[in-house]
Amino acid sequence: MTNTCPSGATLAEAEDFLAAHPEIEAVDIVLHDSNGIGRGKIIRRHELPSLYKSGRHMPISILGLDICGEDVDETGLIWDQGDGDLRAWPIPGTLKVLHNTTPPRAEVLMSLYELDGQPMTSDPRHALQRQVDAFAKRGLKPAGAFELEFFLLAKDRGPDGKVRPAADVLDGRDSHKTEVYSVDHLHGMLPLFSDIYAAAGKAGITAETMISEYAPGQYELTLHYREDVMQAADDLMRLKRIVRAQARAHGVVACFMAKPIADYAGSGMHFHVSLMNDKGDNVFAEKPNSGWTDTLLHALGGLRATMGEAMLVFAPHLNSWRRFANQSYAPVSTSWGVNNRSVALRVPAGEVKARRIEHRPSGVDANPYLVAATVLAGILHGLANKMDPGPETTGNGYAEDEGGPTIPRDWKSAIEAAQGSEFLKAALGEDMHRTFTAVKAAEYARVARTISEVDYDLYLHTV
């Protein structure tokens, strides 16, 4: 057993924080499971120094839970190990003040370790770190940012029992129009957005452009590009908690389902990624008039080749698969293209020095640590094998992608593909792969045995 913090956090960080913030009364300590759900505890102010000195015991089963927080024995993290305690340690630099809390609270992100200080390999953060370390051995550092799309919904459902867009928090005005890119529509939510930006600022997150997206009540918030891809994933996790908390404070519901409204586009979590060498140069960036770099093309080739068996990471729930439909701004193949939003892998137009790949399959319900780990592993697979991505898609990427790698067409097929994937096992690590696929299989079984309203609607009086 070790009392030395393996994450690198120091007691001085906690002491300096408490001295700078005498108003803070409690701290949320949060680690994330395979579904991306924040789990942990709320500790009192006086407990914070001991957290940094000795960590905090938490049961190993905390990472073996399904979407409802129930044990999944097949993960091997429950009774196979006696549900013993491991130790969670704070992540350096993640202790931040929470905005608009009563009494005043702070938050710190945690990661789980074995009692001897080794990483607990069913922790999604450690899965991403493995891939970051693999690139470091090649003299490369992944950089990136996520986009956050979400819906703001009314607390109460409509007369038809369905969810409905929230009225403006400023004046209560209802709108059921798409309002895409409408600036005036954003004005009605300004008090809420102001609190989101204020909370992000306190968390050290540079939240940037707010957009009214392609559905009633749907918005997009972009995040500043990070040279550290782990920090980019942390930003996304924290921002979801921020948006949810500030929406609740304004009397509306922030929804991160991939497809909450049947007739409109779903919410994605596009991941922009590039690679920097030890000089800080972007190795995806081409020289003038020289065409795409081999590095960029091989990365695209690896992502195309591995996308099918990795789709469960990008679309982890039944609802995730409702997002994929033709001409819905969600990709339906492994296609790649330039300045084209109908493809899965987009190379955005713009400055050469900012050359990057926009990975578009993930829904906002996916776990960004696992998404980033899997995308990086796909890029590394392409670089190691000098993979050809095939011809660029021009025009309508929803047309049939003949001859290219395919993706599963439903959730069950994605689960089966992930379970049998040697690539995904290597990408996530054997323990994380087992945990994640077991949790997904348990979720599928839960959904399959549930009698839904559509069953009654279709069959109750007809068969």
Side-chain angles (χ1 to χ4, degrees):
M1 183 178 295
T2 181
N3 283 323
T4 302
C5 180
S7 70
T10 65
L11 176 60
E13 181 180 352
E15 292 175 337
D16 290 348
F17 180 86
L18 292 175
H21 299 284
E23 77 282 4
I24 295 298
E25 296 185 20
V27 181
D28 296 3
I29 61 174
V30 184
L31 62 86
H32 293 95
D33 67 10
S34 64
N35 280 310
I37 296 174
R39 303 196 186 275
K41 304 178 180 183
I42 300 177
I43 63 173
R44 306 305 297 169
R45 176 187 177 89
H46 70 271
E47 298 178 89
L48 187 65
S50 67
L51 181 73
Y52 278 74
K53 286 191 291 186
S54 306
R56 189 81 174 204
H57 282 112
M58 289 191 181
I60 190 172
S61 59
I62 200 168
L63 294 180
L65 304 176
D66 68 7
I67 195 73
C68 298
E70 296 185 7
D71 292 340
V72 178
D73 291 341
E74 292 80 3
T75 61
L77 302 180
I78 317 298
W79 302 121
D80 288 2
Q81 303 195 41
D83 196 19
D85 280 344
L86 297 184
R87 197 175 294 194
W89 291 90
I91 304 302
T94 65
L95 178 58
K96 304 292 183 180
V97 172
L98 290 174
H99 176 67
N100 200 21
T101 56
T102 305
R105 300 198 326 275
E107 175 187 73
V108 63
L109 301 185
M110 309 286 287
S111 202
L112 202 61
Y113 291 81
E114 305 286 351
L115 296 180
D116 64 0
Q118 294 300 307
M120 197 285 169
T121 47
S122 286
D123 184 322
R125 236 177 164 276
H126 294 316
L128 176 51
Q129 188 62 52
R130 287 177 67 252
Q131 294 302 324
V132 172
D133 292 344
F135 275 92
K137 291 177 181 177
R138 298 175 70 101
L140 296 172
K141 183 178 182 180
F146 289 91
E147 296 175 9
L148 180 67
E149 295 179 0
F150 58 95
F151 280 80
L152 294 176
L153 304 176
K155 288 194 297 183
D156 300 319
R157 298 193 185 191
D160 58 0
K162 296 180 180 179
V163 298
R164 55 199 176 102
D168 290 349
V169 299
L170 186 63
D171 56 17
R173 182 177 73 91
D174 279 312
S175 175
H176 296 278
K177 295 181 288 186
T178 298
E179 307 273 16
V180 64
Y181 282 97
S182 168
V183 176
D184 288 343
H185 181 61
L186 293 175
H187 290 170
M189 290 293 184
L190 278 181
L192 168 54
F193 296 154
S194 294
D195 272 332
I196 290 172
Y197 283 120
K202 288 183 178 180
I205 298 170
T206 305
E208 298 184 325
T209 307
M210 180 71 75
I211 300 169
S212 179
E213 260 291 353
Y214 202 67
Q218 188 185 35
Y219 301 87
E220 179 187 297
L221 191 58
T222 60
L223 291 166
H224 187 68
Y225 215 72
R226 293 287 197 181
E227 293 184 0
D228 179 352
V229 75
M230 183 71 78
Q231 196 168 31
D234 287 344
D235 284 352
L236 196 284
M237 283 297 202
R238 300 192 94 145
L239 193 59
K240 285 178 74 171
R241 292 195 82 222
I242 286 169
V243 171
R244 184 176 282 118
Q246 300 312 314
R248 184 183 296 125
H250 285 270
V252 300
V253 175
C255 175
F256 300 107
M257 290 173 64
K259 183 79 166 179
I261 301 176
D263 297 332
Y264 292 99
S267 294
M269 188 181 70
H270 303 159
F271 178 39
H272 295 251
V273 61
S274 57
L275 299 176
M276 317 302 288
N277 63 20
D278 54 9
K279 297 178 181 178
D281 299 324
N282 180 356
V283 298
F284 284 166
E286 69 275 12
K287 290 183 171 56
N289 304 314
S290 63
W292 305 118
T293 65
D294 286 343
T295 306
L296 178 67
L297 293 174
H298 293 158
L300 289 165
L303 290 172
R304 291 199 74 198
T306 58
M307 189 180 297
E309 53 199 297
M311 276 302 297
L312 185 63
V313 172
F314 312 140
H317 310 291
L318 173 63
N319 181 259
S320 310
W321 291 84
R322 304 194 192 285
R323 175 171 160 262
F324 300 107
N326 282 338
Q327 301 180 39
S328 64
Y329 290 95
V332 294
S333 70
T334 65
S335 55
W336 77 278
V338 180
N339 196 24
N340 186 338
R341 286 184 171 83
S342 67
V343 298
L345 303 167
R346 174 177 174 251
V347 180
E351 291 185 273
V352 172
K353 67 179 182 180
R355 187 67 67 222
R356 63 194 186 276
I357 296 171
E358 181 186 3
H359 185 273
R360 296 174 59 81
S362 297
V364 74
D365 55 345
N367 183 330
Y369 298 116
L370 298 186
V371 168
T374 305
V375 168
L376 293 182
I379 291 173
L380 198 57
H381 179 72
L383 299 183
N385 295 285
K386 295 181 168 53
M387 303 194 75
D388 183 348
E392 173 193 346
T393 294
T394 58
N396 185 4
Y398 294 112
E400 189 67 26
D401 186 26
E402 296 182 3
T406 60
I407 61 175
R409 292 303 180 189
D410 57 56
W411 189 33
K412 185 174 186 293
S413 299
I415 292 172
E416 292 169 348
Q419 288 171 328
S421 172
E422 291 301 318
F423 162 76
L424 196 59
K425 187 180 294 185
L428 302 182
E430 188 170 344
D431 292 337
M432 186 72 252
H433 176 266
R434 183 192 65 249
T435 298
F436 177 66
T437 56
V439 166
K440 294 295 100 185
E443 185 179 339
Y444 177 84
R446 176 188 290 272
V447 172
R449 66 175 177 262
T450 300
I451 309 301
S452 68
E453 283 301 315
V454 73
D455 284 88
Y456 295 120
D457 183 51
L458 292 177
Y459 310 124
L460 181 61
H461 298 294
T462 56
V463 297

